[in-house]
Amino acid sequence: RVKLRDQDPALHDAVDTAVQSFQGKRTATEVVLDDLLRRTIGKIPVVKDWMNPIRPTAGLLGGAREVAFHLKIAGPFNWAFYPVQHAQFWTHAAPIVGPEYAARGVAALFSPTPEQARFLRRVDHAKLLEPQFVHGELHGSTNRVERLKDLSGVFANYGERHNRLMTAAAVYDRLMDLEPGTPDRLLRFAYDGDARKVRAFDKADMQQVLDVVRRVNDKTHFRYDVTDRPAFMQGPVARTLLQFKQYTTHTWDLWRRYIDLLADGQTTDNASPFLVSLATTLALGGVSSVLGAGAIDEVVRYATDDRVRPLDWLFERMPPEVYAGAPALVGVDVSRRVGMGDFVPHRLRDLVPVTVGIA
């Protein structure tokens, strides 16, 4: 631990924060709120019996996040999350596997080849297709409340599972087509540029292939656990305020990885994964979905006392499909669902279900 702190202080701090969270160590904000809750509503007998005695703030906000999740992402009428979530395969995973293999991945969802089917069974057995965003059971629970929650998240569950399946099939096909010793961009992406691991990769070793699939899926579809978020988002208060913004921070990191691949100048493909991801995002979400658009708009509006509204100005002067992406041609706006322009939640719409949000 001391060696890591000396060699990479930033990484040490991130790991230390994650370990402390797992161990139950409270943040400074949580300590203050815990004391406040115990001194106020914690004195009410019914509330005191119901409240988490060790970490009341974490327990209370954890329940609030779960309610907000089922209102926004899940819910029996939130069918719209399934097609919206599928956009992540095209904006995040397809750029690194390439169009040919992305198409093979989509085909595997409906009619996998015998070789793909055998491999996907191994992937499923290794639990690499399990949804991470919802953390629900696809095959049902015994508890009635848990079964109801599983039903609520069924569209989100299957959407992520299908994304991971398509990515796994695409990664597998690309790896099987590699010549031995090829420093392919997919391997460099999976191993974070570690040349030793890239050279040592052997496609005949299925454990190595499964490891690459896991790495690519985690980097493009994310894990959404406490270790997979910036340190400032790991406390219970920040996790609640920024509950639906982890996708944005993850995508920033994914683009950084894609830019690193572009910078090293070693690629077996002509198209930059970063530019492909950017173009796909613009096609689906328009210019209002680009990185930081919402934050810039808020800063300018605040600085000018709401006299200058950049996004409103663009909306009035641009065709709908340019401002909000191709879906706007049929009257649907998913720009704030697939894009990264809006990081800080500041409107009621940030908490409403996807079905209502795109209506």
Side-chain angles (χ1 to χ4, degrees), residues 230-247:
F232 73 90
M233 293 176 64
Q234 291 180 354
V237 177
R239 289 174 65 186
T240 303
L241 294 176
L242 302 174
Q243 180 177 1
F244 301 110
K245 303 305 178 182
Q246 197 171 349
Y247 167 87

Side-chain angles (χ1 to χ4, degrees), residues 198-246:
V198 171
R199 288 193 301 270
F201 176 77
D202 180 6
K203 67 181 182 182
D205 185 343
M206 280 297 107
Q207 289 304 314
Q208 290 192 42
V209 175
L210 287 172
D211 183 52
V212 172
V213 167
R214 177 187 62 79
R215 290 169 178 267
V216 174
N217 257 329
D218 283 352
K219 286 179 169 67
T220 57
H221 300 300
F222 318 134
R223 293 198 313 273
Y224 292 105
D225 59 29
V226 70
T227 65
D228 195 36
R229 66 180 74 228
F232 73 90
M233 293 176 64
Q234 291 180 354
V237 177
R239 289 174 65 186
T240 303
L241 294 176
L242 302 174
Q243 180 177 1
F244 301 110
K245 303 305 178 182
Q246 197 171 349

Side-chain angles (χ1 to χ4, degrees), residues 45-205:
V46 176
V47 176
K48 182 179 180 180
D49 294 337
W50 167 79
M51 196 168 63
N52 185 325
I54 301 175
R55 302 184 70 178
T57 302
L60 179 65
L61 294 181
R65 287 196 303 273
E66 186 166 11
V67 171
F69 167 80
H70 284 281
L71 288 175
K72 179 180 173 69
I73 300 300
F77 303 107
N78 203 11
W79 55 266
F81 190 75
Y82 183 84
V84 169
Q85 190 174 23
H86 266 296
Q88 187 169 342
F89 173 75
W90 295 105
T91 58
H92 290 55
I96 192 62
V97 298
E100 175 188 349
Y101 297 101
R104 292 191 196 182
V106 174
L109 179 62
F110 300 98
S111 180
T113 65
E115 188 177 3
Q116 285 176 331
R118 285 193 297 271
F119 178 71
L120 290 174
R121 282 195 292 271
R122 297 190 65 165
V123 173
D124 197 19
H125 181 72
K127 297 189 180 298
L128 299 183
L129 301 181
E130 291 301 309
Q132 301 298 310
F133 184 60
V134 181
H135 294 290
E137 295 291 336
L138 286 170
H139 305 296
S141 306
T142 55
N143 182 280
R144 288 185 178 181
V145 175
E146 292 300 321
R147 287 170 62 185
L148 182 61
K149 288 160 59 177
D150 295 343
L151 177 61
S152 176
V154 67
F155 290 115
N157 259 321
Y158 276 104
E160 185 181 351
R161 179 180 173 85
H162 292 167
N163 278 347
R164 290 178 175 272
L165 185 150
M166 292 186 293
T167 302
V171 169
Y172 173 75
D173 279 6
R174 181 166 180 132
L175 293 178
M176 292 302 102
D177 288 347
L178 286 181
E179 294 293 331
T182 303
D184 187 66
R185 74 178 188 187
L186 182 64
L187 292 175
R188 290 184 291 110
F189 172 74
Y191 291 127
D192 292 315
D194 189 327
R196 181 182 59 83
K197 290 183 179 180
V198 171
R199 288 193 301 270
F201 176 77
D202 180 6
K203 67 181 182 182
D205 185 343

Side-chain angles (χ1 to χ4, degrees), residues 156 159 258:
Y258 282 166

Side-chain angles (χ1 to χ4, degrees), residues 180-359:
T182 303
D184 187 66
R185 74 178 188 187
L186 182 64
L187 292 175
R188 290 184 291 110
F189 172 74
Y191 291 127
D192 292 315
D194 189 327
R196 181 182 59 83
K197 290 183 179 180
V198 171
R199 288 193 301 270
F201 176 77
D202 180 6
K203 67 181 182 182
D205 185 343
M206 280 297 107
Q207 289 304 314
Q208 290 192 42
V209 175
L210 287 172
D211 183 52
V212 172
V213 167
R214 177 187 62 79
R215 290 169 178 267
V216 174
N217 257 329
D218 283 352
K219 286 179 169 67
T220 57
H221 300 300
F222 318 134
R223 293 198 313 273
Y224 292 105
D225 59 29
V226 70
T227 65
D228 195 36
R229 66 180 74 228
F232 73 90
M233 293 176 64
Q234 291 180 354
V237 177
R239 289 174 65 186
T240 303
L241 294 176
L242 302 174
Q243 180 177 1
F244 301 110
K245 303 305 178 182
Q246 197 171 349
Y247 167 87
T248 302
T249 58
H250 283 337
T251 305
W252 292 350
D253 187 57
L254 176 66
W255 279 11
R256 177 192 59 79
R257 296 175 189 274
Y258 282 166
I259 291 173
D260 287 345
L261 283 178
L262 179 63
D264 68 20
Q266 300 177 27
T267 178
T268 56
D269 299 78
N270 293 324
S272 157
F274 167 68
L275 294 179
V276 172
S277 180
L278 176 62
T280 309
T281 300
L282 288 174
L284 291 171
V287 297
S288 62
S289 69
V290 299
L291 183 62
I296 294 172
D297 182 71
E298 289 298 314
V299 169
V300 173
R301 291 177 61 176
Y302 178 80
T304 62
D305 197 22
D306 211 29
R307 291 191 301 271
V308 179
R309 302 181 176 186
L311 288 182
D312 288 349
W313 185 87
L314 291 175
F315 178 76
E316 294 170 358
R317 288 162 177 78
M318 286 184 171
E321 63 272 18
V322 176
Y323 178 83
L329 291 171
V330 292
V332 173
D333 181 0
V334 296
S335 60
R336 293 185 181 271
R337 306 296 180 179
V338 304
M340 293 154 292
D342 197 8
F343 177 72
V344 179
H346 61 280
R347 306 168 309 160
L348 179 61
R349 181 176 176 178
D350 285 341
L351 296 177
V352 300
V354 178
T355 306
V356 177
I358 67 173

